[in-house]
Amino acid sequence: MKDILQELEDRRADARLGGGQKRIDSQHAKGKLTARERIELLLDEDSFEEFDMFVSHRCTDFGMENQKPAGDGVITGWGTINGRMVYVFSQDFTVLGGSVSATHAMKICKIMDMAVQNGAPVIGLNDSGGARIQEGVDALAGYAEIFQRNIMASGVIPQISVIMGPCAGGAVYSPAMTDFIFMVKDSSYMFVTGPDVVKTVTNEVVTAEELGGASTHTKKSSVADGAFENDVEALAEVRRLVDFLPLNNREKPPVRPFFDEPDRVEDSLDTLIPENPNTPYDMKELILKIADEADFYEIQEDFAKNIITGFIRMEGQTVGVVANQPMVLAGCLDIDSSRKAARFVRFCDAFEIPILTLVDVPGFLPGTSQEYGGVIKHGAKLLFAYGEATVPKVTLITRKAYGGAYDVMASKHLRGDFNYAWPTAEIAVMGAKGATEIIHRADLGDAEKIAQHTADYEDRFANPFVAAERGFIDEGIQPKSTRRRVSRAFASLRNKKLQNPWKKHDNIPL
């Protein structure tokens, strides 16, 4: 009996060594942690339960039968983050470059199936050279099995991908279908085809960092939601994100203890809006001042900065925030910001996270590049996302809400539950100057008359009261009381029930 027990321990020790000490040292030399070290940092201490430690591949071509490492390049199992269950897989670059084989994929599929059945998030720590070439179509089939599970799990359980090494080809499509993608600066890459292939096919010379590094995907492509300095920071931030999210789509997000008075008055907000309506101000200041303990977890901070998305808590409960940012492009909506916000709104709606929308939007960004790029269809994505969302929706207009952008930003007409406005709000079809030049075209030669018409238009429309008279604004509120009013609004909506008509699925304008 003792011999068998010893054999188990020996085999475990061998499996834990992955590709061997030399490769582990090489991983450390690159500033990267090993697959097991990452799991230890991500999960609560001693909470990891491993599956399939001894699984090995079944390939017999190209001499592969002579190297069959235990675990086959991926560590899978479940554990807890702050006491709440999550499933995790961590690809081991020290074992055959973390490449995906049929059995490697089978291990990932097993825990994804379990996660859906048991209603818990899946976190993938990706560090893979792609499909294992020696296995050919078997490896591709394995990838497709993972893809299918990503699709089935979408909207059922949160899926989080952390890119912690080079990921190419099929290795990028699974993360692309997950809810959040995080990268590590200077050590992680994502591309469909690498720099060598790009050079061969298009003659473009590009580095791996320029083609698919963290900066590219957080600032230009919007593929990634955030980038962190190193493995340790990335895993700590994933832990923080999981705390905001429900375990699945049938559960509410967790309620955390809070030490911040829900009726806290914030006098400084009364002077947040500048006297000059064209002077920008930082919308993040408002978000931080109404959030519990000024805690804000921003999503896609470096992409489309004219709109802000992320999570706060109010009275300990998770709230998704979408806010125009007047500091960038005057807060205009454009293609990128519409896509960014629409995806965020749909995530919140899928997982029953209430949405707070802070509005200061002068309209959609004009220009040929926007029109040629399809701003009509992309803007419609955000409109569609808000209109189909059934979660509690509270909207606050701080300053400008002009034209179609007023409608798009969670207006009362898109089933907004509470629509508030500060006294500084201006709700109109367009700005006073543009409107005056259209209405009083005959007086365009007379500067004095135009100035008078503009002033009259501002008096009549550059305020929230016309919309309030129609019932499109529920209440004008004092800026300093915003936290109290918004907190009470969400508290009153905790038992909201709203269902869309039955359909197989919608046809969002992609």
Side-chain angles (χ1 to χ4, degrees):
M1 182 68 175
K2 275 187 179 172
D3 292 345
I4 296 170
L5 295 178
Q6 188 56 48
E7 184 180 351
L8 175 62
E9 282 310 310
D10 290 346
R11 281 180 174 247
R12 279 182 173 171
D14 186 49
R16 287 192 186 107
L17 213 52
Q21 193 59 48
K22 192 176 171 189
R23 287 191 177 137
I24 289 172
D25 293 342
S26 169
Q27 186 87 340
H28 287 160
K30 294 175 192 161
K32 293 159 68 175
L33 298 174
T34 66
R36 289 185 184 279
E37 288 168 341
R38 288 167 177 166
I39 288 176
E40 280 175 31
L41 272 178
L42 176 67
L43 300 179
D44 297 340
E45 195 172 352
D46 295 329
S47 72
F48 183 53
E49 296 281 344
E50 187 168 352
F51 289 132
D52 295 331
M53 185 186 244
F54 304 124
V55 164
S56 59
H57 68 76
R58 295 161 198 157
C59 179
T60 55
D61 295 317
F62 306 105
M64 289 296 288
E65 68 275 11
N66 300 321
Q67 44 174 334
K68 298 185 100 172
D72 202 29
V74 66
I75 298 147
T76 59
W78 67 275
T80 58
I81 290 179
N82 290 329
R84 301 166 72 232
M85 186 158 110
V86 297
Y87 285 83
V88 63
F89 67 86
S90 181
Q91 291 177 319
D92 188 347
F93 196 77
T94 70
V95 177
L96 301 169
S99 57
V100 174
S101 67
T103 46
H104 179 121
M106 179 196 78
K107 286 180 65 173
I108 294 174
C109 290
K110 183 193 278 191
I111 65 147
M112 291 182 78
D113 289 341
M114 293 180 79
V116 171
Q117 285 172 15
N118 297 317
V122 169
I123 301 171
L125 309 180
N126 297 269
D127 191 356
S128 167
R132 195 170 298 165
I133 296 167
Q134 293 91 331
E135 291 205 14
V137 75
D138 280 346
L140 299 180
Y143 261 131
E145 293 285 349
I146 296 171
F147 300 158
Q148 183 62 46
R149 281 160 178 81
N150 287 130
I151 294 160
M152 291 296 102
S154 182
V156 179
I157 54 171
Q159 300 180 80
I160 299 171
S161 298
V162 193
I163 312 300
M164 310 190 85
C167 289
V172 297
Y173 283 117
S174 173
M177 288 186 282
T178 60
D179 300 305
F180 299 102
I181 301 176
F182 298 112
M183 297 182 73
V184 180
K185 293 175 184 173
D186 302 323
S187 65
S188 67
Y189 310 102
M190 295 177 77
F191 27 64
V192 177
T193 53
D196 295 342
V197 177
V198 169
K199 185 173 189 306
T200 303
V201 176
T202 69
N203 276 330
E204 291 175 277
V205 177
V206 65
T207 66
E209 184 63 41
E210 290 167 340
L211 184 63
S215 177
T216 297
H217 287 314
T218 51
K219 294 175 183 172
K220 292 181 185 170
S221 73
S222 83
V223 166
D225 297 290
F228 304 107
E229 294 299 328
N230 51 51
D231 287 10
V232 178
E233 187 187 341
L235 296 165
E237 288 297 317
V238 171
R239 281 181 65 93
R240 191 170 151 233
L241 174 62
V242 170
D243 275 348
F244 282 96
L245 307 180
L247 294 178
N248 57 66
N249 63 352
R250 295 176 185 271
E251 284 192 24
K252 296 273 189 182
V255 181
R256 294 285 171 208
F258 63 98
F259 309 95
D260 198 347
E261 291 300 319
D263 57 356
R264 169 168 51 80
V265 172
E266 194 62 65
D267 289 319
S268 62
L269 290 180
D270 283 350
T271 53
L272 179 66
I273 305 297
E275 289 287 324
N276 182 338
N278 297 318
T279 302
Y281 61 94
D282 190 356
M283 187 65 90
K284 282 188 194 176
E285 186 179 333
L286 172 58
I287 296 170
L288 293 172
K289 283 181 175 171
I290 62 177
D292 286 357
E293 284 98 32
D295 184 22
F296 176 46
Y297 192 104
E298 191 165 355
I299 300 293
Q300 288 206 342
E301 182 178 1
D302 293 326
F303 179 73
K305 290 187 173 189
N306 44 326
I307 207 156
I308 302 166
T309 55
F311 299 107
I312 62 171
R313 290 189 186 89
M314 303 202 80
E315 296 190 72
Q317 311 226 11
T318 302
V319 172
V321 177
V322 177
N324 304 116
Q325 173 57 292
M327 303 279 285
V328 182
L329 295 175
C332 275
L333 284 172
D334 61 356
I335 290 170
D336 290 344
S337 60
S338 297
R339 281 177 40 231
K340 169 179 165 179
R343 178 161 168 77
F344 183 77
V345 167
R346 281 170 69 87
F347 175 83
C348 290
D349 189 47
F351 289 101
E352 287 299 317
I353 296 171
I355 300 168
L356 170 64
T357 307
L358 304 174
V359 184
D360 185 352
V361 61
F364 279 89
L365 186 67
T368 53
S369 65
Q370 289 292 309
E371 294 296 351
Y372 297 167
V375 68
I376 295 169
K377 194 157 240 189
H378 293 294
K381 290 175 183 175
L382 183 54
L383 178 61
F384 197 110
Y386 269 126
E388 73 169 347
T390 59
V391 294
K393 291 184 282 196
V394 176
T395 303
L396 168 66
I397 300 172
T398 61
R399 189 164 64 175
K400 295 172 183 170
Y402 289 167
Y406 152 73
D407 287 326
V408 169
M409 293 298 293
S411 60
K412 178 60 80 181
H413 326 286
L414 299 182
R415 303 190 297 189
D417 295 299
F418 281 73
N419 290 69
Y420 289 139
W422 283 357
T424 47
E426 306 170 20
I427 304 164
V429 174
M430 63 199 304
K433 187 171 181 292
T436 303
E437 287 171 0
I438 291 170
I439 297 168
H440 302 285
R441 193 174 287 131
D443 295 337
L444 275 178
D446 191 330
E448 217 168 284
K449 274 189 180 176
I450 287 291
Q452 185 57 49
H453 291 318
T454 303
D456 292 345
Y457 187 92
E458 282 174 350
D459 289 343
R460 177 78 181 94
F461 293 111
N463 59 62
F465 304 115
V466 177
E469 285 166 15
R470 305 289 194 279
F472 303 153
I473 295 295
D474 297 307
E475 178 80 282
I477 66 172
Q478 296 287 352
K480 65 184 175 189
S481 67
T482 301
R483 175 170 161 85
R484 181 175 71 86
R485 301 300 293 265
V486 171
S487 288
R488 283 175 62 82
F490 281 122
S492 75
L493 293 166
R494 277 178 199 149
N495 294 320
K496 177 184 176 183
K497 293 278 183 292
L498 175 63
Q499 279 194 315
N500 292 330
W502 186 91
K503 56 183 97 169
K504 186 177 178 186
H505 59 73
D506 55 51
N507 186 21
I508 186 167
L510 290 172

